């Protein structure tokens, strides 16, 4: 995606999404401050979280916060319909992470 969306009203965006995502949204917007919001920025941010060794559940919370933040941009009158469509396609490109499943040992399984 070549269109960049500049982060100009980060506080308004964070206030407009779920309070439980505010920390993650603020961190993403801070990450995107210099480069703007784009698919490349979004991917780089998620890759950084993986490089930091974050758990799949933590990364999923960040993915959800990023998606919510980007969707709030749709309300901006400065975006064209093409930019909105590209943003929507971009957020679908990065899936949620699968949580690791743990095998249960035989002696910990309840029997009849």
């Amino acid at each position: 995606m070549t269109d960049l969306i500049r982060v100009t009203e980060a506080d308004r965006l964070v206030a407009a999404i779920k309070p439980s995502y505010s920390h993650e949204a603020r961190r993403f917007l801070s990450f995107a401050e210099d480069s703007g919001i784009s698919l490349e920025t979004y991917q780089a941010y998620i890759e950084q979280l993986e490089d930091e060794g974050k758990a799949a559940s933590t990364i999923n919370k960040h993915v959800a916060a990023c998606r919510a933040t980007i969707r709030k941009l749709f309300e901006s009158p400065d975006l064209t319909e093409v930019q909105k469509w590209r943003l929507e396609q971009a957020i679908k490109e990065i899936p949620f992470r699968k949580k690791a499943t743990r095998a249960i040992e035989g002696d910990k399984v309840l029997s009849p």
Side-chain angles (χ1 to χ4, degrees), residues 53-66:
K54 301 290 185 194
S57 58
T58 300
I59 293 173
N60 287 341
K61 189 171 182 184
H62 281 268
V63 168
C66 291

Side-chain angles (χ1 to χ4, degrees), residues 40-97:
E40 292 79 17
T41 305
Y42 182 37
Q43 287 174 325
Y45 178 68
I46 299 304
E47 287 171 9
Q48 177 181 319
L49 295 173
E50 290 173 336
D51 291 345
E52 291 173 5
K54 301 290 185 194
S57 58
T58 300
I59 293 173
N60 287 341
K61 189 171 182 184
H62 281 268
V63 168
C66 291
R67 287 179 175 196
T69 303
I70 291 169
R71 284 194 173 114
K72 279 297 168 187
L73 289 171
F74 291 1
E75 298 170 8
S76 171
D78 299 331
L79 290 181
T80 66
E81 291 302 315
V82 171
Q83 286 176 313
K84 291 177 185 179
W85 180 83
R86 286 183 178 164
L87 280 171
E88 185 62 38
Q89 298 311 305
I91 60 178
K92 290 178 183 177
E93 295 262 333
I94 300 177
F96 287 99
R97 300 304 184 256

